[in-house]
Amino acid sequence: MSSRVGSTGSATSFPRWFRDGHGALAVVVYLAAILVYDHTAATHLNTVCGCALSPDPTQWMWSWVWIPYAIAHGLNPLSTHLLWAPGPFNLAAATMAPVLAIPGAPLDALFGPVAAWNLLAFSAPVLNGWAAYRLCRYLSGAPWASILAGFTYGFSGYELAHQLAHMNLIWTFAPPLLALISLRRLNGEISRRRAGGLLSVLLVIEFGISTEIFFTMICFTALALVLGWCLADSVVRRRILEVALVLAVALAVTVVVWSYYIVLSFQGPQVSKGFPALYPADLLSYLFPTNLFRLGRQFFAGLSGSFVTNDVTEQNNYLGIGLIVIFFAYAVSRRGRRDTRLVVLLTAVAFIFSLGTKLTIAGKPTIPMPYALLAKLPFFDLLTPSRLGMYVSLGTAVAAAVWIGSASGPRRRVGRWLLGLFAAALLVPNPAFTNASFNLRETNFTQPSFFTSGLYRRYLHPGEVVLPLPYAYAEDGLSMLWQADAHMSFALASGYWGPQAPGDYAANPLVPGLTLGLLPAHAAADLDALAAAHHITAVLVADGESPGYLRMLARGGWRLVVNAGGIMVYRHPGPLPAPG
């Protein structure tokens, strides 16, 4: 390995990132792409969400109101009494992504929760693609090929799938930037202090967005250092150890900064769990498109429908035949280079582990896989294996930039570019996507005027506990947006930060019944017990809800107070029986 590792480009200083004309063009291209893809949300910014009809988006929309509210009122933003009242409910054990409240809260205050989601969702693939472009340009020295490679990462199957619901998982800029900063320090292009500072900021930000991506990124970074050390000569090995020390210091800084959050997250209850067995990547999902993609979806709908999960947000591994061919061409044509071996090995490990505990082919589990061993270890048991496909996308992006950018001769350059453009075209999404689990990609979030107009102030008391119907994650968790629109003026005997209700709620048969829309036989009595146990003084029913809810309320003696603004308010006229 040469004394200069991994770079075929010029040794530019960090401030020149912002004077990079090709980088600016990359941002323009990526921004134009996401606005075209989500054009309905872009033109109806505050009413149409560029996401799936799912309860997950409402979690982060709610948090962008809750966090500034908690800070303004001297409350702990990581623990709330306003969900699953009287609580407290531990948000640190959920996927709250507090760093995203820094842009999310002011955007929500200015434009509303749906617009805030859209603006952040539009920004993520642009930033991710730009970060991958910077890494690819550093490694390849080919700006145009790097713009294309950045597109395949910023708009990867992983990114497009999680854009549907998971705000905490769509920000994947940290892995390529961590690799870039580490390589520049390895090559002596930036000082140890500067590298340590940049890495500390990067890790602190990533931890506050997604602890899952943070953990897997640290694991792959450690693996890259070990493999790089094994492949390197003695001179480079000493520099790798020095980079490892800088990374260790940055990691220690991150742990100190987030120490309270870490301690609180271990106090539980753990509401954000991984699914090592439920969500593996199907072997064929890397090659064949799901209904999320425009090209080929009709031909392979039957096959992609057999993939192990019907949750399309976890069918996030599609690369397409174009990128797969490019990756193997890169691996074969540059097989003698140690940096190529490192990229191939890291990508292969990510691919193998993404397959989960058993190799699944067309939905059928077969032989055990290495991840079955990791899944028994602490922290690894909280991961979702299919999401490791993000690192496969990064490896193929690097391969594409280097392979296309290193073409010699006009015929070879044309051939490689045509294949690269074909690979990018395969990632173009299907804007009219729909399947059994989700409705249209663009989701209409129309909130009742009872909350948006302030009418709730006439009929609800500040701080009182209300039971919303729809409940928990039923009807896509919209009741959390009711609370956000009402500026946290009432508490909910409900919530959604994961599929499980807290233990004291889950013990009541009515709670799973309300969540699933299947009322138990003694629903009225169960409601009275729930109201008495959790001090519920009002029930809010959205227009169009099940008539069974109204019959349950009538049998329990709950009386309609008002029907206005799309909401019916019920109250109980007398004292409720004591619980138990």
Side-chain angles (χ1 to χ4, degrees):
M1 189 176 285
S2 63
S3 60
R4 195 156 189 273
V5 180
S7 172
T8 58
S10 58
T12 56
S13 62
F14 266 69
R16 287 188 60 188
W17 285 18
F18 304 99
R19 302 194 300 271
D20 177 9
H22 289 97
L25 177 61
V27 170
V28 170
V29 170
Y30 305 153
L31 181 59
I34 191 62
L35 293 179
V36 169
Y37 291 169
D38 279 345
H39 64 277
T40 305
T43 54
H44 301 81
L45 199 63
N46 202 27
T47 56
V48 176
C49 181
C51 58
L53 197 59
S54 157
D56 289 341
T58 59
Q59 300 175 88
W60 292 284
M61 296 179 193
W62 178 89
S63 73
W64 300 333
V65 177
W66 159 251
I67 290 177
Y69 173 88
I71 294 173
H73 290 79
L75 304 174
N76 182 355
L78 301 180
S79 179
T80 181
H81 292 267
L82 297 183
L83 295 180
W84 302 111
F89 182 75
N90 185 3
L91 293 167
T95 54
M96 188 171 65
V99 163
L100 292 181
I102 296 174
L107 289 174
D108 181 281
L110 289 171
F111 307 113
V114 177
W117 173 283
N118 286 332
L119 292 170
L120 288 178
F122 296 160
S123 303
V126 177
L127 179 58
N128 301 338
W130 176 82
Y133 158 81
R134 289 305 316 177
L135 174 63
C136 291
R137 182 169 183 181
Y138 183 80
L139 293 171
S140 69
W144 294 105
S146 298
I147 292 175
L148 179 64
F151 177 88
T152 68
Y153 179 72
F155 295 83
S156 65
Y158 171 94
E159 179 71 19
L160 294 177
H162 290 292
Q163 278 269 335
L164 294 172
H166 300 147
M167 178 59 71
N168 63 321
L169 297 177
I170 63 175
W171 302 88
T172 60
F173 60 89
L177 289 184
L178 186 148
L180 177 59
I181 296 167
S182 300
L183 284 170
R184 293 180 71 90
R185 177 55 203 152
L186 188 67
N187 291 323
E189 296 166 6
I190 56 175
S191 67
R192 183 184 304 173
R193 179 177 296 178
R194 192 172 194 182
L198 289 170
L199 289 171
S200 296
V201 171
L202 186 66
L203 293 183
V204 166
I205 291 173
E206 184 55 54
F207 189 98
I209 297 176
S210 171
T211 53
E212 180 176 357
I213 292 179
F214 175 87
F215 178 70
T216 58
M217 181 175 68
I218 293 300
C219 291
F220 275 99
T221 300
L223 179 62
L225 292 171
V226 171
L227 293 176
W229 190 88
C230 293
L231 293 169
D233 57 35
S234 58
V235 174
V236 176
R237 283 181 175 180
R238 287 194 293 270
R239 285 153 46 189
I240 289 174
L241 293 176
E242 190 263 347
V243 170
L245 179 61
V246 173
L247 282 164
V249 171
L251 181 59
V253 169
T254 305
V255 171
V256 170
V257 170
W258 290 104
S259 56
Y260 175 70
Y261 186 100
I262 293 170
V263 170
L264 193 61
S265 68
F266 281 108
Q267 294 178 6
Q270 191 70 41
V271 297
S272 300
K273 299 180 180 180
F275 304 94
L278 293 180
Y279 292 121
D282 195 292
L283 179 65
L284 300 181
S285 66
Y286 281 98
L287 180 60
F288 297 104
T290 65
N291 287 337
L292 180 59
F293 298 92
R294 180 183 290 274
L295 299 180
R297 68 185 189 280
Q298 306 97 324
F299 302 107
F300 304 109
L303 179 61
S304 64
S306 70
F307 294 161
V308 67
T309 172
N310 65 355
D311 183 349
V312 75
T313 65
E314 302 300 347
Q315 294 176 355
N316 54 197
N317 303 100
Y318 180 60
L319 295 175
I321 186 64
L323 278 176
I324 292 173
V325 169
I326 288 173
F327 182 79
F328 280 100
Y330 160 82
V332 172
S333 65
R334 299 170 62 88
R335 58 187 177 276
R337 295 178 59 95
R338 281 180 273 192
D339 53 358
T340 301
R341 294 177 191 170
L342 180 59
V343 171
V344 170
L345 285 172
L346 288 171
T347 307
V349 170
F351 169 74
I352 292 170
F353 284 164
S354 74
L355 299 176
T357 57
K358 288 187 177 181
L359 177 63
T360 305
I361 304 175
K364 298 179 180 179
T366 59
I367 61 174
M369 296 297 289
Y371 197 85
L373 299 176
L374 285 181
K376 299 176 181 179
L377 300 177
F379 303 113
F380 288 96
D381 61 338
L382 300 177
L383 301 181
T384 300
S386 66
R387 297 174 184 174
L388 298 177
M390 176 188 69
Y391 299 98
V392 180
S393 294
L394 181 57
T396 56
V398 169
V402 174
W403 185 73
I404 295 173
S406 63
S408 59
R411 182 175 298 179
R412 185 170 292 179
R413 280 197 294 271
V414 169
R416 293 188 182 186
W417 266 101
L418 287 175
L419 181 56
L421 292 172
F422 171 69
L426 291 179
L427 296 177
V428 172
N430 171 21
F433 166 73
T434 181
N435 76 355
S437 297
F438 295 96
N439 292 329
L440 293 179
R441 176 181 172 81
E442 286 104 1
T443 299
N444 197 329
F445 278 102
T446 302
Q447 288 294 88
S449 62
F450 183 83
F451 303 104
T452 58
S453 68
L455 189 60
Y456 67 90
R457 296 188 183 95
R458 295 175 57 184
Y459 300 102
L460 299 180
H461 310 304
E464 76 171 312
V465 181
V466 306
L467 179 78
L469 297 174
Y471 192 76
Y473 60 81
E475 297 294 326
D476 310 302
L478 292 181
S479 61
M480 289 179 65
L481 288 187
W482 297 354
Q483 190 183 49
D485 281 336
H487 309 288
M488 304 292 166
S489 67
F490 53 82
L492 287 176
S494 175
Y496 178 71
W497 279 100
Q500 295 86 20
D504 54 338
Y505 273 88
N508 187 305
L510 182 63
V511 170
L514 289 176
T515 303
L516 299 174
L518 301 172
L519 296 181
H522 306 287
D526 292 335
L527 173 60
D528 286 349
L530 187 71
H534 299 284
H535 312 293
I536 298 167
T537 53
V539 177
L540 308 182
V541 186
D543 282 351
E545 282 301 306
S546 169
Y549 292 158
L550 305 186
R551 289 194 294 270
M552 171 186 70
L553 291 167
R555 290 169 184 166
W558 293 77
R559 295 180 181 176
L560 178 65
V561 175
V562 67
N563 183 353
I567 293 292
M568 293 177 280
V569 180
Y570 284 82
R571 292 189 181 277
H572 202 283
L576 292 165

